[in-house]
Amino acid sequence: MSQRKRSKGSGLSQGGDGDEDFMPTHSQVQRNLERRSQDQVNQKVSELVQFLLVKDQKKIPIKRADMLKKVIREYKDVYSEIVNRAGKTLQQVFGLQLVEIDTKHHIYILTSDLPRAEGENLHRDNQTAKLGLLLIILSFIFMKGNTAKDGAVWEFLRRLRVQPGERHEVFGDVKKLVTEEFVRQK
């Protein structure tokens, strides 16, 4: 038995596609949230943001079933709240919006909320590119609770197809850029 509801403020429909038995109502989610530690829920939000960014970078459509199976798992009872918080984080930190493009199969994509750049704003020099990389790395560290092991950062960059051991056409020696220049700038 499935139930079709709209979660408050998210625009994300729930239930009806067979990827879960039951999606709780808004009031049930609020009661379930009270039973969970905020740290646990925040960790799931961070994991979902990372999952969504990697899927978007690889240009792979994001399926709700995958979010539930690979990230949310035993937190299905607070799914809508985790997705709402992840959506807010994506919007506030990255200027991205999670949009459902297929309501039957619950498939999502990330779209940019940032205004389109025109004219001189399209010019990107090396400093702007390096700043972009720095912001991505700092956002990753933030999402990991303000600490991240070197190996985790390098793996994250590899997922974004920025190889630390290879010369990058824009960043040059990525390992040197991160470990020397970014560290020197604190």
Side-chain angles (χ1 to χ4, degrees), residues 8-158:
K8 193 172 186 180
S10 74
L12 302 175
S13 61
Q14 301 175 349
D17 67 351
D19 58 21
E20 68 284 325
D21 296 281
F22 173 76
M23 293 302 283
T25 64
H26 180 71
S27 58
Q28 290 169 322
V29 168
Q30 293 306 313
R31 283 194 299 274
N32 292 337
L33 268 175
E34 293 171 7
R35 295 186 206 126
R36 302 267 188 195
S37 89
Q38 285 305 304
D39 287 342
Q40 292 171 323
V41 175
N42 289 338
Q43 179 62 35
K44 284 295 172 185
V45 170
S46 295
E47 289 173 15
L48 183 58
V49 168
Q50 285 181 313
F51 176 81
L52 296 171
L53 288 172
V54 169
K55 287 283 196 180
D56 182 62
Q57 177 66 28
K58 293 180 177 180
K59 302 298 181 208
I60 299 171
I62 304 158
K63 298 177 185 171
R64 182 172 70 187
D66 289 342
M67 287 191 275
L68 286 164
K69 182 178 175 184
K70 297 177 181 175
V71 181
I72 306 291
R73 291 187 283 261
E74 70 276 6
Y75 289 78
K76 193 184 296 187
D77 60 335
V78 290
Y79 164 82
S80 62
E81 183 65 22
I82 291 171
V83 171
N84 284 338
R85 289 185 189 182
K88 286 178 186 171
T89 300
L90 285 166
Q91 208 293 312
Q92 293 169 345
V93 176
F94 300 101
L96 297 171
Q97 184 175 6
L98 184 63
V99 178
E100 186 172 22
I101 58 169
D102 183 341
T103 56
K104 181 177 179 187
H105 298 103
H106 301 289
I107 297 176
Y108 302 86
I109 60 169
L110 295 180
T111 61
S112 176
D113 272 353
L114 301 176
R116 289 183 55 114
E118 296 178 16
E120 288 182 22
N121 293 335
L122 288 175
H123 176 68
R124 293 193 175 150
D125 58 14
N126 281 348
Q127 287 305 108
T128 305
K130 288 178 182 178
L131 182 59
L133 180 64
L134 177 60
L135 287 174
I136 288 170
I137 292 169
L138 290 175
S139 297
F140 174 77
I141 293 168
F142 170 75
M143 298 305 290
K144 288 291 190 182
N146 293 332
T147 60
K149 294 183 179 176
D150 288 356
V153 172
W154 297 126
E155 178 58 31
F156 179 67
L157 290 175
R158 279 187 205 94

